[in-house]
Coordinates of all heavy atoms in Angstrom, one line a residue:
M1 N 139.1 109.4 62.0 CA 138.3 110.3 61.2 C 139.2 111.3 60.6 O 140.1 111.9 61.2 CB 137.3 110.9 62.0 CG 136.5 112.1 61.4 SD 135.4 112.9 62.3 CE 134.2 111.8 62.6
S2 N 139.1 111.6 59.3 CA 139.9 112.4 58.7 C 139.2 113.7 58.4 O 137.9 113.8 58.4 CB 140.4 111.9 57.2 OG 139.4 111.7 56.5
F3 N 139.8 114.9 58.4 CA 139.2 116.1 58.3 C 139.6 116.9 57.0 O 140.6 116.6 56.4 CB 139.7 117.1 59.5 CG 139.4 116.6 60.9 CD1 140.1 115.9 61.8 CD2 137.9 116.9 61.1 CE1 139.6 115.4 62.9 CE2 137.4 116.3 62.4 CZ 138.3 115.6 63.3
R4 N 138.7 117.8 56.6 CA 138.9 118.6 55.4 C 140.3 119.3 55.5 O 140.6 119.9 56.5 CB 137.8 119.6 55.2 CG 138.0 120.4 53.9 CD 136.8 121.4 53.8 NE 135.5 120.6 53.7 CZ 134.4 121.2 53.7 NH1 134.4 122.5 54.0 NH2 133.3 120.5 53.8
Q5 N 141.1 119.1 54.5 CA 142.6 119.7 54.5 C 142.9 120.3 53.2 O 142.4 119.8 52.2 CB 143.4 118.4 54.9 CG 145.0 119.1 55.3 CD 145.8 117.9 56.0 OE1 146.0 117.0 55.3 NE2 146.1 118.1 57.1
F6 N 143.7 121.3 53.3 CA 144.1 122.1 52.1 C 145.6 122.1 52.2 O 146.2 121.8 53.2 CB 143.4 123.4 52.1 CG 142.0 123.3 52.0 CD1 141.2 123.5 53.1 CD2 141.4 123.3 50.8 CE1 139.8 123.5 53.0 CE2 140.0 123.2 50.7 CZ 139.2 123.2 51.7
I7 N 146.1 122.7 51.1 CA 147.6 122.9 51.0 C 147.9 124.3 50.9 O 147.2 125.2 50.1 CB 148.2 122.2 49.8 CG1 147.9 120.7 49.8 CG2 149.8 122.3 49.7 CD1 148.5 119.9 51.0
T8 N 148.8 124.9 51.7 CA 149.2 126.3 51.7 C 150.1 126.5 50.6 O 150.6 125.5 49.8 CB 149.9 126.8 53.0 OG1 151.2 125.9 53.0 CG2 149.0 126.5 54.2
R9 N 150.5 127.7 50.2 CA 151.3 128.1 49.0 C 152.8 127.5 49.1 O 153.2 127.0 48.0 CB 151.6 129.5 48.9 CG 150.4 130.3 48.5 CD 150.5 131.8 48.1 NE 151.7 132.2 48.8 CZ 152.0 133.6 48.8 NH1 151.3 134.3 48.2 NH2 153.2 134.0 49.4
D10 N 153.3 127.3 50.3 CA 154.5 126.4 50.3 C 154.3 125.0 50.4 O 155.4 124.2 50.5 CB 155.3 126.9 51.6 CG 154.7 126.5 52.9 OD1 153.7 125.9 53.0 OD2 155.4 126.9 53.9
G11 N 153.1 124.5 50.3 CA 153.0 123.0 50.2 C 152.7 122.3 51.5 O 152.5 121.1 51.6
S12 N 152.7 123.1 52.6 CA 152.3 122.6 53.9 C 150.7 122.3 54.0 O 150.1 122.9 53.5 CB 152.8 123.6 55.0 OG 154.1 124.0 54.9
P13 N 150.4 121.2 54.7 CA 149.1 120.9 54.9 C 148.5 121.8 55.8 O 149.2 122.2 56.9 CB 149.2 119.4 55.4 CG 150.4 119.3 56.0 CD 151.4 120.1 55.3
W14 N 147.2 122.1 55.8 CA 146.5 123.2 56.5 C 145.1 122.6 56.7 O 144.4 122.3 55.8 CB 146.4 124.5 56.0 CG 145.6 125.6 56.8 CD1 145.9 125.8 58.1 CD2 144.5 126.2 56.3 NE1 144.9 126.8 58.5 CE2 144.0 127.1 57.4 CE3 143.7 126.2 55.2 CZ2 142.8 127.7 57.3 CZ3 142.6 127.1 55.1 CH2 142.2 127.8 56.1
T15 N 144.6 122.4 58.0 CA 143.3 122.0 58.3 C 142.6 123.2 58.9 O 142.9 123.6 60.0 CB 143.3 120.8 59.3 OG1 144.1 119.9 58.9 CG2 141.8 120.4 59.6
P16 N 141.6 123.8 58.2 CA 140.8 125.0 58.7 C 140.0 124.5 59.7 O 139.3 123.4 59.8 CB 140.0 125.5 57.5 CG 140.0 124.2 56.6 CD 141.2 123.4 56.9
K17 N 139.8 125.5 60.7 CA 138.9 125.2 61.9 C 137.8 126.3 61.9 O 138.2 127.4 61.9 CB 139.7 125.2 63.2 CG 140.5 124.0 63.4 CD 141.1 123.8 64.7 CE 142.1 122.6 64.8 NZ 142.7 122.4 65.9
Y18 N 136.5 125.9 61.7 CA 135.4 126.8 61.4 C 134.9 127.3 62.7 O 134.7 126.5 63.7 CB 134.4 126.2 60.5 CG 135.1 125.9 59.1 CD1 135.4 124.6 58.9 CD2 135.2 126.8 58.1 CE1 136.0 124.2 57.7 CE2 135.8 126.4 56.9 CZ 136.2 125.1 56.7 OH 136.8 124.8 55.5
L19 N 134.4 128.6 62.7 CA 133.6 129.1 63.9 C 132.2 128.3 63.9 O 131.5 128.5 63.0 CB 133.5 130.6 63.8 CG 132.7 131.2 64.9 CD1 133.4 131.1 66.3 CD2 132.5 132.7 64.7
T20 N 132.0 127.7 65.1 CA 130.8 127.0 65.2 C 129.9 127.5 66.3 O 128.7 127.2 66.4 CB 131.0 125.5 65.5 OG1 131.7 125.3 66.7 CG2 131.7 124.8 64.3
A21 N 130.3 128.2 67.3 CA 129.6 128.8 68.4 C 130.3 129.9 69.1 O 131.6 130.0 69.1 CB 129.3 127.8 69.4
I22 N 129.6 130.8 69.7 CA 130.1 131.9 70.5 C 129.4 131.8 71.8 O 128.1 131.8 71.8 CB 130.0 133.3 69.9 CG1 130.6 133.3 68.5 CG2 130.5 134.4 70.8 CD1 130.4 134.6 67.8
S23 N 130.0 131.8 73.0 CA 129.4 131.7 74.2 C 128.9 133.1 74.7 O 129.8 134.0 74.8 CB 130.3 131.1 75.3 OG 129.9 131.3 76.6
D24 N 127.7 133.2 74.9 CA 127.2 134.6 75.3 C 127.4 134.8 76.8 O 127.2 135.9 77.2 CB 125.6 134.7 75.0 CG 124.7 133.6 75.7 OD1 125.2 132.7 76.3 OD2 123.5 133.8 75.5
E25 N 128.0 133.7 77.5 CA 128.4 134.0 79.0 C 129.7 134.5 78.9 O 130.1 135.3 79.9 CB 128.2 132.6 79.6 CG 126.8 132.1 79.8 CD 126.7 130.8 80.4 OE1 127.9 130.2 80.8 OE2 125.6 130.2 80.4
L26 N 130.6 134.1 78.1 CA 132.0 134.5 78.0 C 132.3 135.7 77.2 O 133.0 136.5 77.4 CB 132.9 133.4 77.6 CG 133.0 132.1 78.4 CD1 133.8 131.0 77.7 CD2 133.5 132.5 79.7
C27 N 131.5 135.9 76.2 CA 131.6 137.1 75.3 C 131.3 138.4 76.0 O 130.3 138.5 76.7 CB 130.7 136.9 74.0 SG 130.9 138.2 72.8
I28 N 132.2 139.3 75.8 CA 132.0 140.8 76.4 C 131.7 141.8 75.3 O 131.4 142.9 75.6 CB 133.3 141.2 77.1 CG1 134.6 141.3 76.1 CG2 133.6 140.3 78.3 CD1 135.7 141.9 76.7
G29 N 131.4 141.4 74.1 CA 130.9 142.2 73.0 C 131.9 143.4 72.6 O 131.4 144.4 72.1
C30 N 133.2 143.0 72.8 CA 134.2 144.0 72.4 C 134.4 144.4 70.9 O 134.7 145.5 70.6 CB 135.5 143.6 72.9 SG 136.2 142.3 72.2
G31 N 134.0 143.3 70.0 CA 133.9 143.6 68.6 C 135.1 143.4 67.9 O 135.3 143.4 66.6
R32 N 136.4 143.0 68.6 CA 137.5 142.6 68.0 C 137.4 141.5 66.9 O 137.9 141.7 65.7 CB 138.5 142.3 69.0 CG 139.0 143.5 69.7 CD 140.1 143.1 70.7 NE 139.6 142.4 71.8 CZ 140.3 141.9 72.8 NH1 141.6 142.1 72.8 NH2 139.6 141.3 73.9
C33 N 136.6 140.4 67.1 CA 136.4 139.5 66.1 C 135.6 139.9 65.0 O 135.9 139.5 63.8 CB 135.7 138.3 67.0 SG 134.1 138.7 67.6
F34 N 134.6 140.8 65.3 CA 133.8 141.2 64.1 C 134.7 142.1 63.2 O 134.6 142.1 62.0 CB 132.8 142.2 64.7 CG 131.9 142.8 63.6 CD1 130.9 142.0 63.1 CD2 132.1 144.1 63.3 CE1 130.1 142.6 62.1 CE2 131.1 144.6 62.4 CZ 130.2 143.9 61.7
K35 N 135.6 143.0 63.8 CA 136.5 143.8 63.0 C 137.6 142.9 62.1 O 137.8 143.5 60.8 CB 137.3 144.7 63.9 CG 136.4 145.7 64.5 CD 137.3 146.6 65.5 CE 136.4 147.6 66.2 NZ 137.0 148.2 67.2
V36 N 138.0 141.9 62.5 CA 139.1 141.1 61.7 C 138.4 140.1 60.8 O 138.9 139.6 59.9 CB 139.9 140.3 62.7 CG1 140.8 141.3 63.5 CG2 139.3 139.2 63.5
C37 N 137.0 139.9 60.9 CA 136.3 138.9 60.1 C 136.2 139.5 58.6 O 135.5 140.5 58.6 CB 135.1 138.4 60.7 SG 134.2 137.1 59.6
T38 N 136.7 138.8 57.7 CA 136.5 139.4 56.3 C 135.2 138.9 55.5 O 134.8 139.1 54.6 CB 137.7 138.9 55.4 OG1 137.7 137.6 55.3 CG2 139.0 139.5 55.9
Q39 N 134.5 137.9 56.3 CA 133.3 137.2 55.8 C 131.9 137.7 56.4 O 130.9 137.0 56.1 CB 133.5 135.6 55.9 CG 134.7 135.3 55.2 CD 134.8 135.6 53.7 OE1 133.9 135.3 53.0 NE2 136.0 136.2 53.3
A40 N 131.9 138.6 57.4 CA 130.7 139.0 58.0 C 130.0 137.9 58.7 O 128.8 137.7 58.4 CB 129.9 139.8 57.0
V41 N 130.7 136.9 59.3 CA 130.1 135.8 59.9 C 129.3 136.1 61.2 O 128.4 135.3 61.5 CB 131.4 134.7 60.2 CG1 130.7 133.6 61.0 CG2 131.8 134.3 58.9
M42 N 129.8 137.2 61.9 CA 129.2 137.4 63.3 C 128.3 138.7 63.3 O 128.3 139.5 62.3 CB 130.3 137.6 64.3 CG 131.1 136.4 64.6 SD 132.7 136.7 65.2 CE 133.6 137.0 63.6
K43 N 127.6 138.8 64.3 CA 126.6 139.9 64.3 C 126.5 140.4 65.9 O 126.5 139.6 66.7 CB 125.1 139.5 63.8 CG 124.1 140.5 64.0 CD 122.9 140.1 63.4 CE 121.8 141.2 63.5 NZ 120.4 140.7 62.9
L44 N 126.5 141.7 66.2 CA 126.4 142.2 67.5 C 124.9 142.1 67.9 O 124.0 142.6 67.1 CB 127.0 143.5 67.6 CG 127.0 144.3 69.0 CD1 127.9 143.5 69.9 CD2 127.4 145.6 68.9
M45 N 124.7 141.6 69.1 CA 123.4 141.6 69.7 C 123.4 142.2 71.1 O 124.3 142.1 71.8 CB 122.8 140.2 69.7 CG 122.5 139.6 68.2 SD 121.3 140.4 67.3 CE 119.8 140.1 68.3
G46 N 122.2 142.6 71.5 CA 122.1 143.1 72.9 C 121.4 142.1 73.7 O 120.7 141.2 73.2
I47 N 121.6 142.1 75.0 CA 120.8 141.2 76.0 C 120.1 142.2 76.9 O 120.8 143.0 77.6 CB 121.7 140.2 76.7 CG1 122.5 139.3 75.8 CG2 121.0 139.6 77.7 CD1 123.4 138.3 76.3
N48 N 118.9 142.1 77.0 CA 118.0 143.1 77.8 C 117.9 142.5 79.1 O 118.5 141.4 79.6 CB 116.6 143.3 77.2 CG 115.8 142.0 77.2 OD1 116.0 141.1 77.6 ND2 114.8 142.1 76.2
E49 N 117.2 143.2 80.1 CA 117.1 142.9 81.4 C 116.4 141.5 81.7 O 116.5 140.9 82.7 CB 116.4 143.9 82.3 CG 115.0 144.2 82.0 CD 114.7 145.4 81.2 OE1 115.6 146.2 80.9 OE2 113.7 145.6 80.6
D50 N 115.5 141.1 80.6 CA 114.9 139.8 80.7 C 115.8 138.6 80.2 O 115.3 137.6 80.1 CB 113.7 139.9 79.9 CG 112.6 140.8 80.5 OD1 112.6 140.9 81.7 OD2 111.9 141.4 79.6
D51 N 117.1 139.0 79.9 CA 118.1 138.0 79.6 C 117.7 137.5 78.1 O 118.0 136.3 77.8 CB 118.3 136.7 80.5 CG 119.8 136.2 80.4 OD1 120.6 137.0 80.1 OD2 119.7 135.0 80.5
E52 N 117.2 138.3 77.3 CA 116.8 138.1 75.9 C 117.6 138.8 74.9 O 117.9 139.8 75.1 CB 115.2 138.2 75.6 CG 114.2 137.6 76.5 CD 112.9 138.0 76.4 OE1 112.7 139.2 76.0 OE2 112.0 137.4 76.8
M53 N 117.9 138.1 73.7 CA 118.6 138.8 72.7 C 117.7 139.8 72.1 O 116.5 139.6 71.9 CB 119.1 137.8 71.6 CG 120.0 136.8 72.2 SD 121.6 137.3 71.9 CE 122.6 136.0 72.5
C54 N 118.3 141.0 71.6 CA 117.6 142.1 71.1 C 118.5 143.0 70.3 O 119.6 142.8 70.3 CB 116.8 142.9 72.2 SG 118.0 143.7 73.3
D55 N 117.9 143.9 69.6 CA 118.7 144.8 68.8 C 119.5 145.8 69.7 O 118.9 146.4 70.5 CB 117.7 145.6 67.9 CG 118.5 146.7 67.0 OD1 119.7 146.9 67.2 OD2 117.8 147.4 66.2
P56 N 120.8 145.7 69.6 CA 121.7 146.4 70.5 C 121.5 148.0 70.4 O 121.9 148.7 71.2 CB 123.2 146.0 70.1 CG 123.1 145.7 68.7 CD 121.7 145.1 68.5
F57 N 120.8 148.4 69.3 CA 120.7 149.8 69.1 C 119.3 150.4 69.3 O 119.0 151.5 68.9 CB 121.3 150.2 67.6 CG 122.8 149.8 67.5 CD1 122.9 148.7 66.7 CD2 123.7 150.2 68.1 CE1 124.1 148.2 66.4 CE2 125.1 149.9 68.0 CZ 125.3 148.7 67.1
D58 N 118.4 149.5 69.7 CA 117.0 149.9 70.1 C 116.8 150.8 71.3 O 117.2 150.1 72.3 CB 116.2 148.7 70.1 CG 114.7 148.9 70.3 OD1 114.3 150.0 70.3 OD2 114.0 147.8 70.3
D59 N 116.6 152.0 71.1 CA 116.6 152.8 72.3 C 115.4 152.5 73.3 O 115.3 152.8 74.5 CB 116.4 154.2 71.9 CG 117.7 154.8 71.3 OD1 118.7 154.3 71.6 OD2 117.5 155.7 70.5
S60 N 114.5 151.7 72.8 CA 113.3 151.3 73.8 C 113.6 150.2 74.6 O 112.8 149.8 75.5 CB 112.0 151.0 72.8 OG 112.3 149.8 72.2
E61 N 114.8 149.4 74.4 CA 115.1 148.2 75.1 C 116.2 148.8 76.2 O 116.9 149.6 76.0 CB 115.8 147.1 74.3 CG 114.9 146.5 73.4 CD 114.2 145.4 74.1 OE1 114.4 145.1 75.3 OE2 113.4 144.7 73.5
E62 N 116.1 148.1 77.4 CA 117.1 148.3 78.4 C 118.1 147.3 78.1 O 118.1 146.2 78.6 CB 116.5 148.2 79.8 CG 117.3 148.5 80.9 CD 117.8 149.9 81.0 OE1 116.9 150.9 80.7 OE2 119.0 150.2 81.4
I63 N 119.2 147.8 77.5 CA 120.4 146.8 77.1 C 121.3 146.6 78.4 O 121.7 147.6 78.8 CB 121.2 147.3 76.0 CG1 120.2 147.6 74.8 CG2 122.3 146.2 75.6 CD1 119.6 146.3 74.2
V64 N 121.4 145.4 78.8 CA 122.2 145.1 80.1 C 123.6 145.0 79.6 O 124.7 145.4 80.1 CB 121.8 143.8 80.8 CG1 122.7 143.4 81.9 CG2 120.3 143.9 81.3
R65 N 123.9 144.3 78.4 CA 125.2 144.1 77.8 C 125.1 143.7 76.3 O 124.0 143.4 75.9 CB 126.1 143.1 78.6 CG 125.5 141.7 78.6 CD 126.2 140.8 79.6 NE 125.8 139.4 79.5 CZ 126.3 138.4 78.8 NH1 127.4 138.6 78.1 NH2 125.9 137.2 78.8
K66 N 126.2 143.6 75.6 CA 126.2 143.3 74.2 C 127.2 142.1 74.0 O 128.1 141.8 74.8 CB 126.8 144.4 73.5 CG 125.8 145.8 73.4 CD 126.2 146.8 72.7 CE 125.3 148.1 72.8 NZ 125.8 149.2 72.1
V67 N 126.8 141.3 73.1 CA 127.5 140.0 72.7 C 127.7 139.9 71.2 O 126.8 140.3 70.5 CB 127.0 138.7 73.4 CG1 127.1 138.8 75.0 CG2 125.6 138.4 73.0
M68 N 128.6 139.1 70.9 CA 128.6 138.7 69.5 C 127.9 137.4 69.2 O 127.9 136.5 70.2 CB 130.1 138.5 68.9 CG 130.8 139.7 68.6 SD 130.1 140.6 67.1 CE 130.6 142.3 67.5
T69 N 127.3 137.1 68.1 CA 126.5 136.0 67.9 C 127.0 135.4 66.4 O 127.4 136.3 65.6 CB 125.0 136.2 67.9 OG1 124.7 137.2 66.9 CG2 124.5 136.7 69.2
L70 N 126.9 134.1 66.3 CA 127.1 133.5 65.0 C 126.0 133.8 64.1 O 124.9 133.3 64.3 CB 127.4 132.1 65.2 CG 127.9 131.1 64.1 CD1 129.2 131.8 63.4 CD2 128.0 129.8 64.5
D71 N 126.1 134.6 62.9 CA 125.1 135.0 62.1 C 125.0 134.2 60.9 O 124.0 133.7 60.5 CB 125.1 136.5 61.9 CG 124.0 137.1 61.1 OD1 122.9 136.6 61.5 OD2 124.2 137.9 60.2
K72 N 126.2 134.2 60.3 CA 126.3 133.4 58.9 C 127.5 132.4 59.0 O 128.5 132.4 58.3 CB 126.5 134.4 57.9 CG 125.4 135.4 57.7 CD 125.9 136.4 56.6 CE 124.9 137.5 56.6 NZ 125.2 138.7 55.9
G73 N 127.2 131.3 59.7 CA 128.3 130.3 60.0 C 128.7 129.7 58.7 O 129.9 129.4 58.7
G74 N 127.9 129.6 57.8 CA 128.3 128.9 56.6 C 129.4 129.8 55.8 O 130.0 129.2 54.9
S75 N 129.4 130.9 56.1 CA 130.4 131.9 55.4 C 131.8 131.8 55.9 O 132.7 132.3 55.3 CB 129.9 133.3 55.4 OG 128.7 133.5 54.7
C76 N 132.0 131.2 57.1 CA 133.3 131.0 57.7 C 134.3 130.4 56.9 O 133.9 129.2 56.3 CB 133.2 130.3 59.1 SG 134.7 130.3 60.0
I77 N 135.4 130.9 56.7 CA 136.5 130.2 55.9 C 137.5 129.5 56.7 O 138.4 128.8 56.2 CB 137.1 131.3 54.9 CG1 137.8 132.3 55.6 CG2 136.1 131.8 53.8 CD1 138.7 133.3 54.8
G78 N 137.4 129.5 58.0 CA 138.3 128.8 59.0 C 139.7 129.5 59.1 O 140.5 128.7 59.3
C79 N 139.8 130.7 58.8 CA 141.1 131.3 59.0 C 141.6 131.5 60.4 O 142.9 131.4 60.5 CB 141.0 132.7 58.3 SG 140.2 133.9 59.1
G80 N 140.7 131.6 61.5 CA 141.2 131.6 62.8 C 141.4 132.9 63.2 O 141.9 133.1 64.4
S81 N 141.3 134.1 62.5 CA 141.6 135.4 62.9 C 140.7 135.8 64.0 O 141.2 136.3 65.0 CB 141.2 136.4 61.9 OG 142.2 136.2 60.7
C82 N 139.6 135.4 64.1 CA 138.7 135.8 65.1 C 139.0 135.2 66.5 O 138.9 135.7 67.7 CB 137.1 135.7 65.0 SG 136.8 133.7 64.5
Q83 N 139.5 133.9 66.5 CA 139.9 133.1 67.5 C 141.2 133.8 68.1 O 141.4 133.9 69.4 CB 140.1 131.8 67.2 CG 140.5 131.0 68.5 CD 140.6 129.4 68.1 OE1 140.9 129.1 67.0 NE2 140.2 128.6 69.0
A84 N 142.0 134.3 67.3 CA 143.3 134.9 67.6 C 143.2 136.2 68.4 O 144.0 136.5 69.3 CB 144.2 135.1 66.5
V85 N 142.0 137.0 68.3 CA 141.9 138.2 68.8 C 140.9 138.2 70.0 O 140.8 139.1 70.7 CB 141.5 139.3 67.8 CG1 142.4 139.6 66.7 CG2 140.1 139.0 67.2
C86 N 140.2 137.0 70.3 CA 139.3 136.8 71.2 C 140.0 136.7 72.7 O 140.7 135.7 72.9 CB 138.4 135.7 71.1 SG 137.0 135.5 72.3
G87 N 139.8 137.7 73.5 CA 140.5 137.9 74.9 C 139.8 136.9 75.8 O 140.5 136.6 76.9
T88 N 138.7 136.4 75.5 CA 138.0 135.6 76.6 C 137.7 134.1 76.3 O 137.1 133.4 77.0 CB 136.5 136.2 77.0 OG1 135.8 136.1 75.7 CG2 136.6 137.7 77.4
N89 N 138.3 133.8 75.1 CA 138.1 132.5 74.6 C 136.6 132.0 74.5 O 136.3 130.9 74.9 CB 138.9 131.4 75.4 CG 140.4 131.7 75.3 OD1 140.8 131.8 74.2 ND2 141.1 131.5 76.4
A90 N 135.8 132.9 73.9 CA 134.4 132.6 74.0 C 133.8 131.9 72.7 O 132.7 131.4 72.6 CB 133.6 134.0 73.9
Q91 N 134.8 131.7 71.9 CA 134.5 131.1 70.6 C 134.8 129.6 70.5 O 135.8 129.1 71.1 CB 135.2 131.9 69.5 CG 134.8 133.2 69.3 CD 135.7 134.0 68.3 OE1 136.6 133.3 67.7 NE2 135.4 135.2 68.2
T92 N 134.1 128.8 69.8 CA 134.4 127.4 69.5 C 134.7 127.1 68.1 O 133.8 127.7 67.3 CB 133.2 126.5 70.1 OG1 132.9 126.7 71.4 CG2 133.6 125.0 69.7
H93 N 135.7 126.5 67.7 CA 136.1 126.3 66.3 C 136.4 124.8 66.2 O 137.0 124.1 67.0 CB 137.3 127.1 66.0 CG 137.3 128.6 66.0 ND1 137.2 129.4 64.9 CD2 137.2 129.4 67.1 CE1 137.1 130.6 65.2 NE2 137.0 130.8 66.6
E94 N 136.0 124.4 65.0 CA 136.1 122.8 64.8 C 136.4 122.6 63.4 O 136.0 123.2 62.5 CB 134.8 122.2 65.2 CG 134.3 122.3 66.6 CD 132.9 121.7 66.9 OE1 132.5 120.8 66.0 OE2 132.3 122.0 67.8
A95 N 137.2 121.5 63.2 CA 137.5 121.1 61.8 C 136.3 120.3 61.3 O 135.5 119.7 62.1 CB 138.7 120.2 61.9
V96 N 136.3 120.3 59.9 CA 135.0 119.6 59.3 C 135.6 118.3 58.8 O 136.5 118.1 58.1 CB 134.4 120.4 58.2 CG1 133.4 119.7 57.4 CG2 134.0 121.8 58.7
P97 N 134.8 117.2 59.2 CA 135.2 115.8 58.6 C 135.2 115.8 57.0 O 134.4 116.6 56.4 CB 134.1 114.9 58.9 CG 133.5 115.6 60.2 CD 133.6 117.0 59.9
A98 N 136.1 115.2 56.4 CA 136.4 115.2 55.0 C 135.2 114.4 54.3 O 134.5 113.7 54.9 CB 137.6 114.5 54.7

């Protein structure tokens, strides 16, 4: 199977790997991936005491922890910046078939 491939400025082949998932079990909600993403692909969410996703800034919810979620996956350009800064390896990145 061949994957979508591009050429860098120096002529080297480059295969982008797009963000396809973020593990809410591994993610610690630190926000480093969000800060480096130029395409606004992710969104911070809270997890309440019932283990449900909710608005992380809702004062009426009892937020147990915060996690990043994949919000606009189609906007990912496959640069890999978010994967490079993720300290918990919570993200899954995949190449797209050509």
